[in-house]
Amino acid sequence: MPSAAILLADGTEEMEFTITYDTLVRAGVACNSAYVLDPTDTGTLRNYATCSRGVRIMYDAVFQAEQFGPYAYDALIIPGGAKGADTMSKNPAVQSLVRQFLKEDKIVGMICAGSLTALTSKLDRQPLTSHPSVKAQLENDFVYSEDPVVVSNKLITSRGPGTTFLFALQLVESLCGVAKKEEVRAPMVFPDS
Amino acid sequence: MPSAAILLADGTEEMEFTITYDTLVRAGVACNSAYVLDPTDTGTLRNYATCSRGVRIMYDAVFQAEQFGPYAYDALIIPGGAKGADTMSKNPAVQSLVRQFLKEDKIVGMICAGSLTALTSKLDRQPLTSHPSVKAQLENDFVYSEDPVVVSNKLITSRGPGTTFLFALQLVESLCGVAKKEEVRAPMVFPDS
Ligand SMILES: [Cu+]
């Protein structure tokens, strides 16, 4: 059974997190959400993340780099939401894990502002997409695309809430194959199906 | 500012809940999630719902009919997920509220298996859709449609996770107007936009 670590932080876009998590679970992927702390938040540790539009989601574990390495998971997923993606992309342990996953030929998914992590992790110049609001920060260092989902070897990037189903289904295809993707897709009742 | 009560239960489809809640918040709708207890669950009351694919979402309030009437909210939303929709659709207070909202010309939204609540609330024969898996239970009593979203006066129904964005955007249009819908839609970056 493939496995995925999905990062979660205060300010994460709850649709991007939830669509990805749920779709991967439908495909039989063992998902673990890892809460990345905002270093400027000096309050007591809560057992949930307050997402970008107020949905409060309980995390499965607190993020600790040594427990979320590529030896333990087949994919590392970084959702968007400006504030959540800021916390994740500026976290040195997250940046290091992104490089380790790709070095070990494991999948890294980034969506929306989450794609900023490609920049902060100093990934090689390659095809990538993101939310339009952060395009200006990425287009000099990457081969910027406006496709809904961009697959560059094991780096899979996407644009926003409206492309998250396509992103999640691409992750399913990459982790479980195209037959599993079709099996998962059908009962979700997309308008064109 | 329009307001919406969005029901939540153990087994609710977390994508349907989260996409609807988040999209309405983006439109400036004040959303309150109301946890409907499974009467067969005799354990201690938790402060979250365990959704259909394991995402645990904290609710804003415990559902009590007297606090969620049409005098207090402009819309009542019933998401799917087989187990969650079963709990909601069989709850007599929910059934009564559905009838009250429609009688007061307020919006009622149902998606996926949530549409079974139209049947249990004994609504008049009218156009409606649902997840294909519960079509057989609905097609004798309603004018069953396979459109992604069906608007029948104030009853708005839809099909599944893959149609939830369309459902949520129709709710925004009905509550806030078409200009607000377009304003909310653009930054969500749908593939065809
Ligand atoms: Cu469903």
Side-chain angles (χ1 to χ4, degrees), chain A residues 13-15 18-19 21-22 25-26 48 53 55-60 131-132 159-163 165-166 187-191, chain B residues 13-15 18-19 21-22 25-26 48 53 55-60 131-132 159-163 165-166 187-191:
Chain A
E13 218 304 320
E14 47 270 70
M15 300 192 275
T18 303
I19 293 169
Y21 192 110
D22 180 318
V25 168
R26 285 170 179 252
Y48 59 88
R53 270 73 187 182
V55 175
R56 291 170 299 152
I57 298 180
M58 298 183 75
Y59 51 80
D60 297 323
H131 195 272
R159 312 204 77 205
T163 65
F165 280 114
L166 296 172
M188 291 165 76
V189 205
F190 289 94
Chain B
E13 217 305 320
E14 47 269 71
M15 300 191 276
T18 302
I19 293 170
Y21 192 110
D22 181 318
V25 168
R26 284 170 180 251
Y48 60 88
R53 271 72 189 183
V55 175
R56 292 171 299 154
I57 297 179
M58 299 184 74
Y59 52 79
D60 298 323
H131 195 270
R159 310 202 78 205
T163 64
F165 280 113
L166 296 172
M188 291 165 76
V189 204
F190 288 95

Short mmCIF file of all heavy atoms in Angstrom, two decimals, chain A residues 13-15 18-19 21-22 25-26 48 53 55-60 131-132 159-163 165-166 187-191, chain B residues 13-15 18-19 21-22 25-26 48 53 55-60 131-132 159-163 165-166 187-191:
data_model
loop_
_atom_site.label_atom_id
_atom_site.label_comp_id
_atom_site.label_asym_id
_atom_site.label_seq_id
_atom_site.Cartn_x
_atom_site.Cartn_y
_atom_site.Cartn_z
N GLU A 13 -5.10 25.89 2.69
CA GLU A 13 -6.36 25.92 1.95
C GLU A 13 -7.06 24.57 2.20
O GLU A 13 -6.60 23.53 1.73
CB GLU A 13 -6.10 26.15 0.46
CG GLU A 13 -7.11 27.06 -0.22
CD GLU A 13 -8.54 26.59 -0.07
OE1 GLU A 13 -8.77 25.36 -0.15
OE2 GLU A 13 -9.44 27.41 0.12
N GLU A 14 -8.17 24.61 2.93
CA GLU A 14 -8.81 23.38 3.37
C GLU A 14 -9.36 22.53 2.23
O GLU A 14 -9.44 21.30 2.35
CB GLU A 14 -9.90 23.66 4.41
CG GLU A 14 -10.87 24.79 4.08
CD GLU A 14 -10.37 26.14 4.62
OE1 GLU A 14 -9.37 26.67 4.07
OE2 GLU A 14 -11.00 26.68 5.55
N MET A 15 -9.74 23.14 1.12
CA MET A 15 -10.22 22.33 -0.02
C MET A 15 -9.06 21.57 -0.64
O MET A 15 -9.18 20.40 -0.99
CB MET A 15 -10.85 23.22 -1.09
CG MET A 15 -12.05 24.02 -0.58
SD MET A 15 -13.00 24.79 -1.91
CE MET A 15 -12.09 26.31 -2.16
N THR A 18 -8.12 18.74 1.78
CA THR A 18 -9.14 17.70 1.94
C THR A 18 -9.36 16.90 0.66
O THR A 18 -9.50 15.68 0.70
CB THR A 18 -10.46 18.34 2.43
OG1 THR A 18 -10.21 19.03 3.66
CG2 THR A 18 -11.53 17.29 2.67
N ILE A 19 -9.40 17.60 -0.48
CA ILE A 19 -9.59 16.87 -1.74
C ILE A 19 -8.42 15.91 -1.97
O ILE A 19 -8.62 14.76 -2.38
CB ILE A 19 -9.73 17.86 -2.93
CG1 ILE A 19 -11.02 18.66 -2.81
CG2 ILE A 19 -9.67 17.11 -4.27
CD1 ILE A 19 -11.12 19.85 -3.79
N TYR A 21 -6.28 14.56 0.31
CA TYR A 21 -6.28 13.50 1.33
C TYR A 21 -7.35 12.45 1.00
O TYR A 21 -7.10 11.25 0.93
CB TYR A 21 -6.53 14.14 2.69
CG TYR A 21 -6.30 13.28 3.91
CD1 TYR A 21 -5.22 13.54 4.76
CD2 TYR A 21 -7.16 12.24 4.26
CE1 TYR A 21 -5.01 12.78 5.92
CE2 TYR A 21 -6.95 11.48 5.40
CZ TYR A 21 -5.88 11.76 6.23
OH TYR A 21 -5.68 11.00 7.36
N ASP A 22 -8.56 12.91 0.80
CA ASP A 22 -9.72 12.05 0.57
C ASP A 22 -9.54 11.21 -0.70
O ASP A 22 -9.76 9.99 -0.71
CB ASP A 22 -10.96 12.96 0.50
CG ASP A 22 -12.28 12.24 0.27
OD1 ASP A 22 -12.34 11.32 -0.55
OD2 ASP A 22 -13.28 12.66 0.89
N VAL A 25 -6.99 8.53 -0.13
CA VAL A 25 -7.55 7.46 0.70
C VAL A 25 -8.47 6.57 -0.14
O VAL A 25 -8.44 5.34 -0.02
CB VAL A 25 -8.30 8.04 1.92
CG1 VAL A 25 -9.13 6.96 2.64
CG2 VAL A 25 -7.30 8.67 2.91
N ARG A 26 -9.27 7.19 -1.01
CA ARG A 26 -10.13 6.39 -1.91
C ARG A 26 -9.32 5.42 -2.77
O ARG A 26 -9.81 4.36 -3.14
CB ARG A 26 -10.94 7.32 -2.83
CG ARG A 26 -12.10 8.03 -2.12
CD ARG A 26 -12.72 9.11 -3.00
NE ARG A 26 -13.83 9.78 -2.34
CZ ARG A 26 -15.12 9.62 -2.67
NH1 ARG A 26 -15.46 8.89 -3.71
NH2 ARG A 26 -16.07 10.24 -2.00
N TYR A 48 -5.32 20.87 16.30
CA TYR A 48 -5.94 21.07 14.98
C TYR A 48 -5.27 22.26 14.29
O TYR A 48 -4.62 23.09 14.94
CB TYR A 48 -7.44 21.33 15.12
CG TYR A 48 -7.76 22.54 15.96
CD1 TYR A 48 -7.85 23.81 15.39
CD2 TYR A 48 -7.94 22.45 17.33
CE1 TYR A 48 -8.12 24.94 16.16
CE2 TYR A 48 -8.22 23.56 18.12
CZ TYR A 48 -8.31 24.80 17.51
OH TYR A 48 -8.56 25.91 18.27
N ARG A 53 -10.14 29.32 5.43
CA ARG A 53 -11.52 29.84 5.49
C ARG A 53 -12.23 29.38 6.75
O ARG A 53 -13.47 29.26 6.80
CB ARG A 53 -12.30 29.48 4.23
CG ARG A 53 -12.16 30.53 3.12
CD ARG A 53 -10.79 30.50 2.50
NE ARG A 53 -10.55 31.57 1.55
CZ ARG A 53 -9.41 31.69 0.86
NH1 ARG A 53 -8.42 30.82 1.00
NH2 ARG A 53 -9.25 32.70 0.03
N VAL A 55 -12.24 26.45 8.44
CA VAL A 55 -12.47 25.05 8.77
C VAL A 55 -11.30 24.57 9.64
O VAL A 55 -10.14 24.83 9.32
CB VAL A 55 -12.61 24.17 7.50
CG1 VAL A 55 -12.74 22.70 7.87
CG2 VAL A 55 -13.82 24.62 6.67
N ARG A 56 -11.63 23.93 10.75
CA ARG A 56 -10.59 23.46 11.66
C ARG A 56 -10.43 21.96 11.49
O ARG A 56 -11.38 21.19 11.70
CB ARG A 56 -10.97 23.81 13.11
CG ARG A 56 -10.92 25.33 13.37
CD ARG A 56 -11.51 25.69 14.71
NE ARG A 56 -12.91 25.31 14.76
CZ ARG A 56 -13.57 25.00 15.88
NH1 ARG A 56 -12.97 25.00 17.04
NH2 ARG A 56 -14.84 24.67 15.81
N ILE A 57 -9.25 21.55 11.07
CA ILE A 57 -8.97 20.14 10.76
C ILE A 57 -7.95 19.59 11.76
O ILE A 57 -6.89 20.20 11.97
CB ILE A 57 -8.46 20.00 9.31
CG1 ILE A 57 -9.56 20.47 8.34
CG2 ILE A 57 -8.04 18.56 9.02
CD1 ILE A 57 -9.18 20.39 6.88
N MET A 58 -8.28 18.46 12.35
CA MET A 58 -7.34 17.83 13.28
C MET A 58 -6.25 17.12 12.50
O MET A 58 -6.53 16.42 11.53
CB MET A 58 -8.10 16.87 14.18
CG MET A 58 -9.14 17.62 15.01
SD MET A 58 -10.03 16.57 16.15
CE MET A 58 -8.76 16.33 17.39
N TYR A 59 -5.03 17.31 12.93
CA TYR A 59 -3.91 16.65 12.22
C TYR A 59 -3.67 15.26 12.81
O TYR A 59 -4.07 14.96 13.94
CB TYR A 59 -2.66 17.52 12.29
CG TYR A 59 -2.26 18.00 13.67
CD1 TYR A 59 -1.58 17.16 14.54
CD2 TYR A 59 -2.56 19.28 14.09
CE1 TYR A 59 -1.21 17.60 15.81
CE2 TYR A 59 -2.19 19.74 15.36
CZ TYR A 59 -1.51 18.88 16.21
OH TYR A 59 -1.15 19.31 17.46
N ASP A 60 -2.98 14.44 12.00
CA ASP A 60 -2.67 13.07 12.45
C ASP A 60 -1.39 13.05 13.29
O ASP A 60 -1.23 12.18 14.15
CB ASP A 60 -2.50 12.15 11.23
CG ASP A 60 -3.79 12.04 10.41
OD1 ASP A 60 -4.88 12.02 11.01
OD2 ASP A 60 -3.70 11.98 9.17
N HIS A 131 -0.41 28.77 -8.18
CA HIS A 131 -1.48 29.77 -8.21
C HIS A 131 -0.95 31.01 -8.95
O HIS A 131 0.21 31.38 -8.78
CB HIS A 131 -1.90 30.15 -6.79
CG HIS A 131 -3.20 30.89 -6.77
ND1 HIS A 131 -3.30 32.25 -6.89
CD2 HIS A 131 -4.47 30.43 -6.69
CE1 HIS A 131 -4.58 32.60 -6.86
NE2 HIS A 131 -5.31 31.52 -6.75
N PRO A 132 -1.80 31.65 -9.78
CA PRO A 132 -1.35 32.84 -10.53
C PRO A 132 -0.77 33.92 -9.61
O PRO A 132 0.13 34.67 -10.04
CB PRO A 132 -2.64 33.33 -11.20
CG PRO A 132 -3.53 32.13 -11.28
CD PRO A 132 -3.18 31.25 -10.12
N ARG A 159 -2.44 24.27 -9.58
CA ARG A 159 -2.70 25.71 -9.52
C ARG A 159 -3.56 26.24 -8.37
O ARG A 159 -3.31 27.30 -7.85
CB ARG A 159 -3.33 26.15 -10.85
CG ARG A 159 -2.56 25.62 -12.06
CD ARG A 159 -2.80 26.48 -13.27
NE ARG A 159 -2.03 27.70 -13.17
CZ ARG A 159 -2.32 28.86 -13.76
NH1 ARG A 159 -3.42 28.96 -14.49
NH2 ARG A 159 -1.56 29.90 -13.60
N GLY A 160 -4.64 25.56 -8.04
CA GLY A 160 -5.53 26.12 -7.02
C GLY A 160 -6.66 25.17 -6.69
O GLY A 160 -6.69 24.03 -7.18
N PRO A 161 -7.62 25.62 -5.88
CA PRO A 161 -8.74 24.75 -5.50
C PRO A 161 -9.40 24.08 -6.72
O PRO A 161 -9.70 22.89 -6.69
CB PRO A 161 -9.70 25.71 -4.79
CG PRO A 161 -8.82 26.77 -4.21
CD PRO A 161 -7.71 26.95 -5.21
N GLY A 162 -9.60 24.87 -7.77
CA GLY A 162 -10.30 24.37 -8.95
C GLY A 162 -9.54 23.33 -9.75
O GLY A 162 -10.11 22.69 -10.64
N THR A 163 -8.26 23.15 -9.47
CA THR A 163 -7.48 22.11 -10.17
C THR A 163 -7.09 20.97 -9.22
O THR A 163 -6.35 20.08 -9.60
CB THR A 163 -6.19 22.68 -10.81
OG1 THR A 163 -5.31 23.15 -9.76
CG2 THR A 163 -6.48 23.83 -11.76
N PHE A 165 -8.77 18.43 -7.87
CA PHE A 165 -9.17 17.06 -8.24
C PHE A 165 -8.21 16.49 -9.29
O PHE A 165 -7.81 15.33 -9.21
CB PHE A 165 -10.60 17.04 -8.79
CG PHE A 165 -11.67 17.06 -7.73
CD1 PHE A 165 -12.52 18.15 -7.60
CD2 PHE A 165 -11.85 16.00 -6.86
CE1 PHE A 165 -13.51 18.18 -6.63
CE2 PHE A 165 -12.84 16.01 -5.88
CZ PHE A 165 -13.68 17.11 -5.77
N LEU A 166 -7.84 17.31 -10.27
CA LEU A 166 -6.91 16.84 -11.30
C LEU A 166 -5.54 16.52 -10.70
O LEU A 166 -4.89 15.55 -11.07
CB LEU A 166 -6.76 17.89 -12.41
CG LEU A 166 -8.03 18.18 -13.21
CD1 LEU A 166 -7.83 19.37 -14.14
CD2 LEU A 166 -8.45 16.95 -14.01
N PRO A 187 -16.92 7.07 -9.28
CA PRO A 187 -17.97 7.37 -8.29
C PRO A 187 -17.93 8.80 -7.75
O PRO A 187 -18.83 9.19 -6.98
CB PRO A 187 -17.71 6.35 -7.17
CG PRO A 187 -16.31 5.92 -7.34
CD PRO A 187 -15.97 6.06 -8.78
N MET A 188 -16.93 9.57 -8.12
CA MET A 188 -16.89 10.96 -7.68
C MET A 188 -17.81 11.85 -8.52
O MET A 188 -18.06 13.00 -8.18
CB MET A 188 -15.45 11.46 -7.68
CG MET A 188 -14.62 10.79 -6.57
SD MET A 188 -12.83 10.98 -6.73
CE MET A 188 -12.63 12.65 -6.18
N VAL A 189 -18.33 11.30 -9.64
CA VAL A 189 -19.38 11.94 -10.44
C VAL A 189 -18.97 13.33 -10.96
O VAL A 189 -19.62 14.35 -10.65
CB VAL A 189 -20.72 12.07 -9.65
CG1 VAL A 189 -21.89 12.13 -10.64
CG2 VAL A 189 -20.93 10.94 -8.67
N PHE A 190 -17.91 13.36 -11.75
CA PHE A 190 -17.55 14.63 -12.39
C PHE A 190 -18.59 14.97 -13.45
O PHE A 190 -19.18 14.07 -14.05
CB PHE A 190 -16.12 14.56 -12.95
CG PHE A 190 -15.11 14.56 -11.85
CD1 PHE A 190 -14.61 13.37 -11.35
CD2 PHE A 190 -14.71 15.76 -11.26
CE1 PHE A 190 -13.70 13.37 -10.29
CE2 PHE A 190 -13.81 15.76 -10.21
CZ PHE A 190 -13.31 14.57 -9.72
N PRO A 191 -18.80 16.26 -13.70
CA PRO A 191 -19.88 16.69 -14.60
C PRO A 191 -19.80 16.09 -16.00
O PRO A 191 -20.82 15.79 -16.60
CB PRO A 191 -19.70 18.21 -14.66
CG PRO A 191 -18.98 18.57 -13.42
CD PRO A 191 -18.10 17.39 -13.09
N GLU B 13 -19.08 13.25 3.84
CA GLU B 13 -18.04 13.30 2.81
C GLU B 13 -17.29 14.63 3.01
O GLU B 13 -17.86 15.71 2.79
CB GLU B 13 -18.69 13.21 1.42
CG GLU B 13 -17.89 12.41 0.41
CD GLU B 13 -16.47 12.90 0.23
OE1 GLU B 13 -16.26 14.13 0.22
OE2 GLU B 13 -15.55 12.08 0.12
N GLU B 14 -16.04 14.54 3.42
CA GLU B 14 -15.29 15.73 3.81
C GLU B 14 -15.03 16.69 2.66
O GLU B 14 -14.93 17.91 2.88
CB GLU B 14 -13.98 15.35 4.51
CG GLU B 14 -13.14 14.28 3.83
CD GLU B 14 -13.49 12.87 4.33
OE1 GLU B 14 -14.60 12.39 3.98
OE2 GLU B 14 -12.66 12.24 5.00
N MET B 15 -14.95 16.21 1.43
CA MET B 15 -14.77 17.13 0.30
C MET B 15 -16.04 17.93 0.08
O MET B 15 -16.01 19.13 -0.17
CB MET B 15 -14.44 16.36 -0.98
CG MET B 15 -13.16 15.54 -0.88
SD MET B 15 -12.61 14.90 -2.48
CE MET B 15 -13.58 13.41 -2.64
N THR B 18 -16.29 20.50 2.94
CA THR B 18 -15.25 21.53 2.95
C THR B 18 -15.35 22.46 1.74
O THR B 18 -15.20 23.68 1.87
CB THR B 18 -13.86 20.87 3.02
OG1 THR B 18 -13.81 20.06 4.20
CG2 THR B 18 -12.75 21.90 3.07
N ILE B 19 -15.62 21.90 0.57
CA ILE B 19 -15.74 22.75 -0.63
C ILE B 19 -16.91 23.72 -0.45
O ILE B 19 -16.82 24.91 -0.78
CB ILE B 19 -15.93 21.89 -1.91
CG1 ILE B 19 -14.66 21.08 -2.21
CG2 ILE B 19 -16.32 22.76 -3.10
CD1 ILE B 19 -14.83 20.02 -3.29
N TYR B 21 -18.39 24.79 2.43
CA TYR B 21 -18.12 25.75 3.51
C TYR B 21 -17.14 26.82 3.04
O TYR B 21 -17.40 28.02 3.15
CB TYR B 21 -17.54 24.96 4.69
CG TYR B 21 -17.44 25.70 6.01
CD1 TYR B 21 -18.26 25.34 7.09
CD2 TYR B 21 -16.49 26.69 6.23
CE1 TYR B 21 -18.16 25.98 8.33
CE2 TYR B 21 -16.39 27.34 7.46
CZ TYR B 21 -17.22 26.97 8.50
OH TYR B 21 -17.11 27.60 9.72
N ASP B 22 -16.04 26.40 2.49
CA ASP B 22 -14.96 27.30 2.06
C ASP B 22 -15.45 28.26 0.97
O ASP B 22 -15.23 29.48 1.04
CB ASP B 22 -13.80 26.42 1.57
CG ASP B 22 -12.56 27.17 1.10
OD1 ASP B 22 -12.69 28.19 0.40
OD2 ASP B 22 -11.46 26.71 1.39
N VAL B 25 -17.74 30.84 2.44
CA VAL B 25 -16.97 31.83 3.22
C VAL B 25 -16.28 32.81 2.26
O VAL B 25 -16.26 34.03 2.51
CB VAL B 25 -15.94 31.14 4.14
CG1 VAL B 25 -14.94 32.14 4.72
CG2 VAL B 25 -16.67 30.42 5.29
N ARG B 26 -15.74 32.31 1.16
CA ARG B 26 -15.12 33.19 0.16
C ARG B 26 -16.12 34.23 -0.35
O ARG B 26 -15.74 35.34 -0.73
CB ARG B 26 -14.59 32.37 -1.02
CG ARG B 26 -13.28 31.63 -0.72
CD ARG B 26 -12.93 30.65 -1.83
NE ARG B 26 -11.69 29.94 -1.54
CZ ARG B 26 -10.53 30.14 -2.17
NH1 ARG B 26 -10.45 30.98 -3.18
NH2 ARG B 26 -9.45 29.46 -1.82
N TYR B 48 -15.32 16.87 17.38
CA TYR B 48 -15.07 16.80 15.94
C TYR B 48 -15.89 15.67 15.32
O TYR B 48 -16.36 14.78 16.03
CB TYR B 48 -13.58 16.55 15.67
CG TYR B 48 -13.06 15.25 16.26
CD1 TYR B 48 -13.13 14.06 15.55
CD2 TYR B 48 -12.54 15.22 17.55
CE1 TYR B 48 -12.68 12.88 16.10
CE2 TYR B 48 -12.09 14.03 18.11
CZ TYR B 48 -12.15 12.87 17.38
OH TYR B 48 -11.73 11.69 17.93
N ARG B 53 -13.55 9.63 4.82
CA ARG B 53 -12.21 9.12 4.47
C ARG B 53 -11.19 9.46 5.55
O ARG B 53 -9.99 9.55 5.29
CB ARG B 53 -11.76 9.63 3.10
CG ARG B 53 -12.19 8.71 1.95
CD ARG B 53 -13.69 8.79 1.70
NE ARG B 53 -14.19 7.81 0.76
CZ ARG B 53 -15.46 7.75 0.38
NH1 ARG B 53 -16.35 8.61 0.85
NH2 ARG B 53 -15.84 6.82 -0.47
N VAL B 55 -10.72 12.20 7.49
CA VAL B 55 -10.38 13.57 7.89
C VAL B 55 -11.29 13.93 9.07
O VAL B 55 -12.49 13.70 9.04
CB VAL B 55 -10.57 14.57 6.73
CG1 VAL B 55 -10.33 16.01 7.20
CG2 VAL B 55 -9.62 14.23 5.58
N ARG B 56 -10.69 14.45 10.12
CA ARG B 56 -11.45 14.81 11.33
C ARG B 56 -11.62 16.32 11.36
O ARG B 56 -10.64 17.07 11.39
CB ARG B 56 -10.72 14.32 12.57
CG ARG B 56 -10.71 12.77 12.68
CD ARG B 56 -9.79 12.30 13.79
NE ARG B 56 -8.42 12.72 13.51
CZ ARG B 56 -7.49 12.92 14.44
NH1 ARG B 56 -7.78 12.74 15.72
NH2 ARG B 56 -6.28 13.29 14.10
N ILE B 57 -12.88 16.75 11.29
CA ILE B 57 -13.20 18.18 11.21
C ILE B 57 -13.93 18.61 12.48
O ILE B 57 -14.90 17.97 12.89
CB ILE B 57 -14.06 18.47 9.96
CG1 ILE B 57 -13.25 18.12 8.68
CG2 ILE B 57 -14.52 19.93 9.94
CD1 ILE B 57 -13.99 18.34 7.40
N MET B 58 -13.44 19.68 13.10
CA MET B 58 -14.09 20.20 14.29
C MET B 58 -15.34 20.97 13.89
O MET B 58 -15.31 21.77 12.96
CB MET B 58 -13.12 21.08 15.06
CG MET B 58 -11.90 20.27 15.50
SD MET B 58 -10.76 21.23 16.51
CE MET B 58 -11.67 21.28 18.04
N TYR B 59 -16.41 20.73 14.59
CA TYR B 59 -17.65 21.44 14.27
C TYR B 59 -17.72 22.76 15.03
O TYR B 59 -17.04 22.94 16.04
CB TYR B 59 -18.87 20.56 14.55
CG TYR B 59 -18.91 19.94 15.93
CD1 TYR B 59 -19.32 20.69 17.03
CD2 TYR B 59 -18.56 18.61 16.13
CE1 TYR B 59 -19.35 20.12 18.30
CE2 TYR B 59 -18.59 18.04 17.40
CZ TYR B 59 -18.99 18.81 18.47
OH TYR B 59 -19.04 18.24 19.72
N ASP B 60 -18.59 23.66 14.52
CA ASP B 60 -18.76 24.96 15.17
C ASP B 60 -19.79 24.89 16.30
O ASP B 60 -19.72 25.66 17.26
CB ASP B 60 -19.21 26.01 14.14
CG ASP B 60 -18.18 26.22 13.04
OD1 ASP B 60 -16.97 26.19 13.33
OD2 ASP B 60 -18.58 26.42 11.87
N HIS B 131 -26.40 11.46 -5.71
CA HIS B 131 -25.40 10.48 -6.12
C HIS B 131 -26.11 9.32 -6.83
O HIS B 131 -27.20 8.91 -6.40
CB HIS B 131 -24.63 9.96 -4.90
CG HIS B 131 -23.37 9.25 -5.28
ND1 HIS B 131 -23.31 7.90 -5.55
CD2 HIS B 131 -22.12 9.72 -5.49
CE1 HIS B 131 -22.07 7.57 -5.88
NE2 HIS B 131 -21.33 8.66 -5.85
N PRO B 132 -25.52 8.79 -7.91
CA PRO B 132 -26.14 7.68 -8.63
C PRO B 132 -26.49 6.49 -7.72
O PRO B 132 -27.47 5.78 -7.97
CB PRO B 132 -25.08 7.27 -9.65
CG PRO B 132 -24.23 8.48 -9.85
CD PRO B 132 -24.25 9.23 -8.55
N ARG B 159 -24.73 16.11 -7.10
CA ARG B 159 -24.49 14.68 -7.26
C ARG B 159 -23.38 14.04 -6.43
O ARG B 159 -23.53 12.92 -5.97
CB ARG B 159 -24.22 14.39 -8.74
CG ARG B 159 -25.29 15.01 -9.66
CD ARG B 159 -25.36 14.30 -10.98
NE ARG B 159 -26.08 13.07 -10.83
CZ ARG B 159 -25.96 12.00 -11.59
NH1 ARG B 159 -25.10 12.00 -12.59
NH2 ARG B 159 -26.67 10.92 -11.37
N GLY B 160 -22.25 14.72 -6.30
CA GLY B 160 -21.13 14.05 -5.62
C GLY B 160 -19.94 14.98 -5.50
O GLY B 160 -20.00 16.16 -5.87
N PRO B 161 -18.82 14.46 -4.99
CA PRO B 161 -17.62 15.30 -4.84
C PRO B 161 -17.28 16.08 -6.11
O PRO B 161 -16.99 17.28 -6.05
CB PRO B 161 -16.52 14.28 -4.52
CG PRO B 161 -17.24 13.16 -3.84
CD PRO B 161 -18.58 13.07 -4.52
N GLY B 162 -17.39 15.42 -7.25
CA GLY B 162 -16.99 16.04 -8.51
C GLY B 162 -17.91 17.14 -8.99
O GLY B 162 -17.58 17.88 -9.92
N THR B 163 -19.08 17.28 -8.37
CA THR B 163 -19.99 18.38 -8.73
C THR B 163 -20.12 19.41 -7.60
O THR B 163 -20.94 20.33 -7.68
CB THR B 163 -21.42 17.86 -9.08
OG1 THR B 163 -22.01 17.27 -7.91
CG2 THR B 163 -21.40 16.83 -10.20
N PHE B 165 -18.11 21.82 -6.48
CA PHE B 165 -17.80 23.22 -6.80
C PHE B 165 -18.99 23.89 -7.50
O PHE B 165 -19.34 25.03 -7.20
CB PHE B 165 -16.55 23.33 -7.68
CG PHE B 165 -15.25 23.21 -6.94
CD1 PHE B 165 -14.42 22.12 -7.14
CD2 PHE B 165 -14.84 24.19 -6.04
CE1 PHE B 165 -13.21 22.01 -6.46
CE2 PHE B 165 -13.63 24.09 -5.36
CZ PHE B 165 -12.81 23.00 -5.57
N LEU B 166 -19.61 23.18 -8.43
CA LEU B 166 -20.77 23.73 -9.13
C LEU B 166 -21.93 23.97 -8.17
O LEU B 166 -22.64 24.98 -8.26
CB LEU B 166 -21.21 22.80 -10.26
CG LEU B 166 -20.19 22.63 -11.40
CD1 LEU B 166 -20.64 21.53 -12.35
CD2 LEU B 166 -19.99 23.94 -12.15
N PRO B 187 -10.43 33.40 -8.74
CA PRO B 187 -9.17 33.00 -8.09
C PRO B 187 -9.09 31.52 -7.71
O PRO B 187 -8.06 31.08 -7.23
CB PRO B 187 -9.12 33.90 -6.84
CG PRO B 187 -10.52 34.32 -6.60
CD PRO B 187 -11.21 34.33 -7.91
N MET B 188 -10.17 30.77 -7.90
CA MET B 188 -10.12 29.34 -7.60
C MET B 188 -9.46 28.56 -8.74
O MET B 188 -9.15 27.38 -8.59
CB MET B 188 -11.52 28.82 -7.28
CG MET B 188 -12.02 29.38 -5.94
SD MET B 188 -13.79 29.20 -5.64
CE MET B 188 -13.90 27.47 -5.22
N VAL B 189 -9.23 29.22 -9.89
CA VAL B 189 -8.42 28.68 -10.99
C VAL B 189 -8.96 27.36 -11.53
O VAL B 189 -8.28 26.32 -11.51
CB VAL B 189 -6.92 28.50 -10.60
CG1 VAL B 189 -6.04 28.53 -11.83
CG2 VAL B 189 -6.44 29.54 -9.60
N PHE B 190 -10.19 27.39 -12.02
CA PHE B 190 -10.71 26.18 -12.67
C PHE B 190 -9.99 25.96 -13.99
O PHE B 190 -9.54 26.93 -14.63
CB PHE B 190 -12.23 26.30 -12.84
CG PHE B 190 -12.94 26.17 -11.53
CD1 PHE B 190 -13.29 27.30 -10.81
CD2 PHE B 190 -13.18 24.92 -10.97
CE1 PHE B 190 -13.89 27.19 -9.56
CE2 PHE B 190 -13.78 24.80 -9.72
CZ PHE B 190 -14.13 25.94 -9.02
N PRO B 191 -9.85 24.72 -14.42
CA PRO B 191 -9.05 24.40 -15.60
C PRO B 191 -9.49 25.14 -16.86
O PRO B 191 -8.66 25.50 -17.68
CB PRO B 191 -9.26 22.89 -15.79
CG PRO B 191 -9.64 22.38 -14.45
CD PRO B 191 -10.40 23.51 -13.78
#
